[in-house]
Structure formats: C-alpha cells, structure tokens
Amino acid sequence: MPSEKILEQKKALVEALAEKMGRAVSGVLVKYEGITVDQDTKMRAALRAAGVEYSVIKNTLIGKACDQAGFEGLKSELEGMNAIAFSYDDAIAPAKILKEYADKIETFEIRGGILEGAVVDAATVNELAEIPPKEVLVAKLLGSIQSPLYKFAYVLQAIIDKDGEEAPAEEAPAEEVAAEATEAPAEAPAETPAE
C-alpha cells in the first residue's frame, strides 16, 4: 500500500497535469515506443525550442488528469507507454514536431490530442501538423493584402509617368506659338502707301 506521502505526490502531479491540459491551446498524446535515445534527445530539443512541454507519464495519472480537466474522451487511447506534449501559444508546434518523428518511427505513433478545449483524434492531429507555421501564414496573409496595393501603386505610377511624358509635348507647341506671336510684328512687311 502506498504511503500517504506518495499518494499526495501523485495527487499533486494529477492536479498539475489537469491544469496544463486546461491551459494548453493544444496537446498531443503519442505512443512512446521504439524511439532511440538519439532520436528522443533531438525530438525533445526541437519541442523545447518551440516552447512545447513534453513528458512520459503513467497512464493512470493521465487518465485521472483527463477526468479532472474534462477530457475523458482521451482515456480510450491510454494503452502501453505514452507521452504527452502541451503548447500554450502555438497550436501547431506539438503536432508538427511529433508527426515528423511518427513518420520516421513505425512504433512511435500519434494517438490523439486536445485542441482548444476539445478532444481530437489522431487524424485531426495529423491534419493540424500539415498546416504551415504561424509565421508562414502571417506572411502569406500580408502578401495577399499587399499584392493588390502594389498593383494599385504601379497603376498610379504608370498614370503619373504617362502624364509626365505628355505634358512637355503639349507645352512645346504652346511656347512656339507664343514665340511666333511676339516675333510676327517684326517680320511683317511694311505697307506701302497707295499712290
């Protein structure tokens, strides 16, 4: 029978895990099998760099945390050894990084997850992993907004350039006419008096 101290520690772990589940914008549950130490080290480094928390946790603790956080639907995936990853600001990062390793390692598979407070299946997590990173999406959005503006600016510049070229051509004859008008009296032949 576990001691009171161990039970308190487990209870604290479950509460902390439930709090993370509730606070996370996304979480991914993976079957943690068949990954080498080298692969695991690289994967954890990539997750840390993306601001993702990742832990291998006993299924009983994950199950109790799911009950507390309201994610009971995730409990059906708790078989074998599992790990769970949480992100608090980038919903795509854990799915993208873990899918990269699940694609390489046959026994390391995505089982499901949570997204914006709801339980999602493995297919949804895999679809989420295919979405480009936030920075790329923002760049595409800005590009799509800027493109019409640039086209409009080019059209305006073309009109300005066209008007700028025509203006001197129109002014030249007017200047010549004015010059001819001032010179005309000097060149006019003198009238001879009628005899």
Side-chain angles (χ1 to χ4, degrees):
M1 183 104 182
S3 70
E4 190 68 30
K5 185 178 178 182
I6 291 172
L7 289 174
E8 285 299 317
Q9 287 174 344
K10 286 185 177 181
K11 185 180 175 186
L13 282 171
V14 168
E15 287 174 359
L17 186 56
E19 186 271 332
K20 288 177 182 180
M21 286 180 171
R23 191 165 46 97
V25 292
S26 72
V28 178
L29 181 72
V30 291
K31 179 181 176 185
Y32 186 78
E33 291 178 16
I35 189 167
T36 66
V37 172
D38 185 49
Q39 289 169 328
D40 185 61
T41 302
K42 288 177 182 174
M43 181 184 68
R44 286 175 188 261
L47 289 166
R48 262 192 311 277
V52 177
E53 286 186 26
Y54 176 81
S55 304
V56 177
I57 303 173
K58 289 185 177 180
N59 290 338
T60 53
L61 299 178
I62 296 173
K64 287 178 182 179
C66 285
D67 288 336
Q68 281 189 23
F71 297 121
E72 293 85 0
L74 199 57
K75 289 170 66 176
S76 62
E77 301 298 333
L78 298 176
E79 296 174 9
M81 186 178 252
N82 292 292
I84 194 160
F86 297 112
S87 178
Y88 305 106
D89 52 13
D90 185 352
I92 298 169
K96 188 172 281 302
I97 294 167
L98 293 172
K99 185 181 184 310
E100 180 186 335
Y101 284 86
D103 288 346
K104 293 179 195 173
I105 306 162
E106 192 174 322
T107 55
F108 185 87
E109 66 183 48
I110 292 173
R111 294 199 154 161
I114 54 175
L115 179 63
E116 298 291 342
V119 174
V120 294
D121 61 6
T124 304
V125 174
N126 285 319
E127 286 174 19
L128 187 64
E130 297 300 322
I131 296 173
K134 186 172 148 182
E135 294 78 15
V136 174
L137 291 174
V138 169
K140 284 184 178 181
L141 175 65
L142 290 175
S144 67
I145 291 170
Q146 287 178 337
S147 180
L149 293 175
Y150 282 133
K151 287 178 184 174
F152 181 65
Y154 289 137
V155 169
L156 287 179
Q157 189 62 50
I159 291 169
I160 291 167
D161 291 345
K162 183 179 174 189
D163 287 346
E165 289 172 10
E166 289 180 3
E170 290 174 2
E171 290 172 12
E175 288 172 5
E176 288 173 15
V177 171
E180 287 173 9
T182 55
E183 294 172 8
E187 292 177 8
E191 287 185 22
T192 55
E195 300 181 0

